[in-house]
């Protein structure tokens, strides 16, 4: 059945036209340029930008599919979590359309959407539940035991920052742009030195599946300040590359260790990655390596487009 999915929880206005679990068309308008100046998303600004474009995005996706609203059987929309003013724009439009058309509306949890992004262009049978899944985004950092398609249990979560948030804050401290993850990843890839482990690796106690990144973030800030010197000078490109690399590798070590631990503690041999940080090629590679050495199966969203915030993951949930 044809359905529409809406995702406006942060700074992407995304609408997908789907036929059951298959993505027919998806249109996503990013607000990145508008948020560069503030080096982050101001919720009221984001909401206004969503409101400005959401009907254009809707018409575009319907036109691409050669369908009209009358062909739509139901609507899915992100309900939470996210920036409230941003969420409200998508929710209001989705609710109004569903009401006007007399069709069902399903509210979808954003993080569950990220998990289900792994089911885009891939069947549940191909994955084979149960799996342990690491959800890493700008606002969330958790490990779930995903038992069967509609059943999961929280195993661990962050006690402070989420991984993506730490990438963003570290990039800001280094005077780089927004969002931090892709910028840090690019700089780190240009570094040719060894991993010297200049930052503490926050693993908490030996069995914990929780995370804490505030100490790591502060250590990076101190390193940046000390390299800037007393008069707050510019960091050299070499400094930027090295700090980015050391931070990224430390983060990857923590995320990989915790997911490995979760697999060992549960005895589950399938590991999975979800959320915006799953766009990181370096993290994907590290988990692929873990999977090879431990004989695990490893899944991440098939396209990077499905790692980031997108409406298709809401439609497939
Ligand atoms: O899921 P998402 O698109 O939005 C939220 O739900 O938060 O995740 C965005 C987060 C940002 O913090 C961004 O820096 C991070 O994902 N991210 C990355 C990479 N690409 C995006 N982090 C590390 N490496 C990347 N390549
Ligand atoms: Zn997200």
């Amino acid at each position: 059945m044809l359905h529409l999915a809406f995702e406006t929880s942060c700074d992407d206005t995304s609408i997908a036209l789907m036929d059951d679990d298959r993505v027919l068309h998806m249109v996503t308008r990013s607000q990145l340029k508008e948020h560069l100046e503030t080096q982050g998303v101001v919720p009221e600004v984001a909401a206004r930008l969503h409101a400005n474009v959401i009907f254009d995005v809707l018409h575009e996706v319907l036109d691409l599919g050669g369908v009209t609203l009358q062909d739509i059987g139901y609507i899915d929309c992100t309900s939470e979590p996210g920036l409230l003013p941003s969420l409200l724009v998508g929710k209001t439009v989705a609710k109004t359309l569903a009401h006007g058309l007399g069709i069902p509306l399903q509210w979808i949890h954003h993080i569950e959407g990220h998990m289900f992004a792994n089911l885009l262009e891939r069947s549940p049978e191909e994955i084979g539940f149960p799996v342990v899944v690491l959800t890493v985004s700008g606002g969330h950092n958790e490990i779930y035991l995903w038992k069967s398609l509609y059943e999961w249990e929280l195993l661990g979560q962050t006690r402070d920052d989420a991984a993506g948030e730490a990438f963003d804050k570290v990039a800001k401290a280094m005077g780089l742009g927004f969002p931090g993850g892709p910028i840090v990843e690019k700089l780190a890839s240009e570094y040719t030195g060894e991993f010297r482990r200049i930052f503490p690796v926050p693993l908490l106690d030996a069995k914990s599946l929780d995370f804490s990144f505030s100490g790591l973030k502060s250590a990076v800030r101190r390193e940046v300040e000390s390299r800037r010197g007393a008069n707050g000078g510019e960091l050299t490109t070499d400094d930027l590359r090295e700090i980015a690399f050391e931070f990224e590798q430390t983060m990857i070590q923590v995320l990989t260790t915790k997911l490995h631990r979760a697999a060992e503690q549960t005895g589950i041999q399938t590991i999975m990655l979800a959320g915006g940080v799953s766009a990181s090629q370096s993290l994907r590679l590290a988990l692929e390596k873990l999977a090879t050495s431990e004989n695990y199966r490893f899944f991440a969203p098939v396209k990077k487009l499905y790692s980031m915030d997108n409406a298709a993951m809401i439609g497939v949930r």
Side-chain angles (χ1 to χ4, degrees):
M1 183 188 276
L2 288 184
H3 59 114
L4 285 173
F6 287 73
E7 156 61 42
T8 65
S9 69
C10 189
D11 58 345
D12 291 296
T13 316
S14 184
I15 305 178
L17 171 67
M18 306 191 46
D19 185 8
D20 294 331
D21 289 343
R22 204 158 56 88
V23 188
L24 300 180
H25 296 281
M26 177 159 70
V27 178
T28 304
R29 282 293 161 79
S30 165
Q31 306 175 350
L32 201 61
K33 262 200 282 171
E34 287 86 347
H35 297 308
L36 277 181
E37 211 175 296
T38 43
Q39 289 255 315
V41 182
V42 177
E44 287 70 20
V45 175
R48 184 167 43 76
L49 294 169
H50 282 305
N52 285 348
V53 303
I54 194 162
F55 287 105
D56 291 345
V57 174
L58 176 64
H59 285 129
E60 202 176 323
V61 83
L62 291 172
D63 288 350
L64 282 170
V67 300
T68 69
L69 283 172
Q70 271 61 41
D71 299 314
I72 303 300
Y74 65 98
I75 292 178
D76 305 293
C77 179
T78 307
S79 58
E80 56 164 358
L83 305 175
L84 292 181
S86 289
L87 284 164
L88 198 59
V89 177
K91 286 168 77 170
T92 306
V93 173
K95 201 168 174 177
T96 309
L97 283 176
H99 186 75
L101 295 166
I103 57 177
L105 170 64
Q106 305 191 85
W107 295 123
I108 306 294
H109 191 278
H110 181 77
I111 301 303
E112 292 174 10
H114 274 302
M115 285 161 53
F116 274 74
N118 277 282
L119 288 155
L120 287 165
E121 300 180 31
R122 201 188 265 142
S123 70
E125 292 73 32
E126 205 177 325
I127 289 173
F129 291 94
V131 308
V132 279
V133 54
L134 172 67
T135 53
V136 268
S137 73
H140 280 256
N141 201 121
E142 288 126 13
I143 296 180
Y144 290 92
L145 165 56
W146 195 352
K147 298 174 182 173
S148 62
L149 196 52
Y150 296 110
E151 195 189 0
W152 45 87
E153 177 191 325
L154 182 67
L155 298 179
Q157 61 190 320
T158 185
R159 296 178 185 174
D160 39 59
D161 291 344
E165 189 181 1
F167 270 100
D168 296 339
K169 288 179 176 169
V170 158
K172 198 168 182 177
M174 292 166 75
L176 306 169
F178 172 85
I183 303 169
V184 168
E185 181 172 35
K186 180 163 184 297
L187 276 171
S189 72
E190 291 161 359
Y191 184 67
T192 50
E194 293 288 304
F195 182 28
R196 292 197 295 125
R197 296 180 164 76
I198 64 173
F199 300 125
V201 186
L203 288 173
L204 307 174
D205 63 76
K207 286 196 179 143
S208 176
L209 296 179
D210 282 347
F211 301 83
S212 170
F213 296 120
S214 66
L216 171 60
K217 188 185 64 189
S218 304
V220 176
R221 281 200 179 129
R222 283 195 299 275
E223 184 68 25
V224 168
E225 277 161 24
S226 94
R227 293 198 192 196
R228 278 195 205 280
N231 51 3
E234 291 282 307
L235 293 176
T236 66
T237 306
D238 283 347
D239 279 335
L240 290 174
R241 287 177 175 156
E242 184 181 3
I243 295 172
F245 176 77
E246 288 286 335
F247 166 73
E248 187 194 48
Q249 288 304 309
T250 306
M251 183 61 96
I252 287 175
Q253 192 177 336
V254 173
L255 298 175
T256 308
T257 304
K258 297 283 174 168
L259 194 56
H260 188 185
R261 247 181 221 178
E264 285 189 327
Q265 288 177 17
T266 55
I268 286 165
Q269 306 263 8
T270 308
I271 57 173
M272 185 184 270
L273 186 58
V277 183
S278 72
S280 163
Q281 194 55 30
S282 331
L283 177 59
R284 285 179 179 226
L285 276 175
L287 289 173
E288 264 166 30
K289 231 163 122 182
L290 169 70
T292 306
S293 76
E294 296 293 322
N295 214 8
Y296 294 159
R297 295 161 71 242
F298 168 60
F299 294 98
V302 295
K303 291 179 183 158
K304 289 216 174 154
L305 182 70
Y306 299 152
S307 284
M308 312 305 293
D309 287 349
N310 70 90
M313 70 184 195
I314 301 304
V316 77
R317 160 68 178 92

